[in-house]
Amino acid sequence: NSLALAKQGFDLMDKKRNILMREIMNLISQASEIQTEIDSTFREAYGLLQRANIEMGIHEVEEISFSVPVEDSIRIKTRSVMGTEIPLVEYKPKADEPTYAYYSTTQALDQARLAFEKVKDLTIRLSMIENSAYRLAANIKKTQKRANALKNITIPMMASSITINVITTTIAAFKAYELPYLISKGLPGHSTLLITQRIFFFGFQAFDYGRGSALSVVLLLIIALISLVQLVVLRKREDIF
């Protein structure tokens, strides 16, 4: 039962690892796409900002930048993926209204503001995905260590100990003498007389050493044959686990 439970635990950890691997590969793919979009959007926004600096002047654009409100609506929640807490970032986008007057600005500034707003949204999404990927990677590493410990240490040790215990218990059963003798002494008749008791009788009571020795050899061969069969079968079982 313990070996079966250990094998079941290994299978569950292996399934968990596969699920986490699929999840992290999906997150890596999303992060790569978002990063590419951030790079292109940021280049566009920076180009528009440079154009606004040329058209309006750097100091004027700098003064307008001070009116941009601080983003304070970000909230972080969590969701669980196979026992791993994954951050879930939520925020309320502000109304798409500029904090400056239209009459004193140019179209390039408006376009730059929209582009940087998009960069902010993408950055929030990217931070959530990257943090999730880091946490999943840490959990995968932990799960892998536990699975390896079960596969390479716990299960082999339990399987080999079971093999040894089964063989030694079988040998002990064939060698049993005292308890059956004390309980029944071979009665009724000789129906409960074991081969070990017959060996003792012929060898030490009847002094028929030839028959006693022959029975001893037969017992040895029987134990050796059964032990060999058990060893082969249980070794195959160990390989399966």
Side-chain angles (χ1 to χ4, degrees):
N1 290 336
S2 298
L3 185 59
L5 287 175
K7 179 62 169 57
Q8 186 179 7
F10 172 76
D11 292 338
L12 289 174
M13 287 188 181
D14 191 53
K15 290 178 181 179
K16 177 181 178 180
R17 178 184 56 189
N18 292 334
I19 292 173
L20 293 178
M21 284 296 297
R22 287 196 296 269
E23 187 74 18
I24 197 172
M25 292 304 296
N26 183 37
L27 291 176
I28 291 174
S29 177
Q30 293 181 32
S32 178
E33 294 175 0
I34 293 175
Q35 185 62 60
T36 302
E37 191 174 359
I38 286 177
D39 293 340
S40 61
T41 306
F42 188 79
R43 282 195 298 269
E44 179 186 358
Y46 187 75
L48 292 169
L49 181 61
Q50 291 288 70
R51 180 180 169 187
N53 286 335
I54 294 172
E55 295 176 352
M56 299 173 52
I58 295 178
H59 294 292
E60 181 67 21
V61 173
E62 184 179 4
E63 289 293 330
I64 293 175
S65 68
F66 293 143
S67 65
V68 176
V70 176
E71 181 61 65
D72 57 357
S73 64
I74 295 177
R75 297 292 181 270
I76 299 178
K77 299 182 179 179
T78 57
R79 65 184 181 95
S80 179
V81 177
M82 298 298 292
T84 305
E85 295 296 326
I86 301 300
L88 195 62
V89 180
E90 297 179 352
Y91 81 103
K92 297 179 180 179
K94 292 182 171 56
D96 190 15
E97 297 178 357
T99 56
Y100 52 84
Y102 285 111
Y103 70 90
S104 59
T105 57
T106 63
Q107 183 181 5
L109 184 64
D110 298 335
Q111 293 174 341
R113 178 180 61 82
L114 294 175
F116 278 114
E117 283 287 340
K118 184 177 180 181
V119 169
K120 181 187 73 173
D121 296 341
L122 292 172
T123 302
I124 291 175
R125 288 177 54 195
L126 181 62
S127 65
M128 178 180 65
I129 291 174
E130 286 185 342
N131 193 281
S132 300
Y134 290 142
R135 295 192 181 193
L136 287 175
N139 201 334
I140 289 173
K141 185 177 180 180
K142 186 186 300 182
T143 303
Q144 183 67 44
K145 287 183 178 179
R146 292 176 179 174
N148 289 340
L150 279 174
K151 181 180 179 181
N152 301 321
I153 300 176
T154 305
I155 292 178
M157 287 180 63
M158 294 180 66
S160 60
S161 64
I162 289 175
T163 300
I164 295 172
N165 288 334
V166 169
I167 294 175
T168 54
T169 302
T170 303
I171 294 174
F174 276 100
K175 290 169 57 180
Y177 178 86
E178 299 89 348
L179 187 60
Y181 181 78
L182 292 174
I183 293 176
S184 65
K185 296 183 179 181
L187 300 175
H190 298 291
S191 58
T192 60
L193 195 63
L194 302 179
I195 188 171
T196 52
Q197 295 171 349
R198 292 179 183 274
I199 292 171
F200 180 81
F201 172 77
F202 286 118
F204 298 97
Q205 291 181 346
F207 300 105
D208 189 350
Y209 301 116
R211 187 175 295 183
S213 299
L215 288 175
S216 299
V217 173
V218 170
L219 177 61
L220 176 63
L221 292 176
I222 292 173
I223 292 176
L225 180 61
I226 293 177
S227 299
L228 181 62
V229 172
Q230 288 179 329
L231 183 62
V232 172
V233 173
L234 293 174
R235 285 295 185 187
K236 289 183 179 179
R237 187 167 178 264
E238 289 180 19
D239 294 336
I240 292 174
F241 282 108

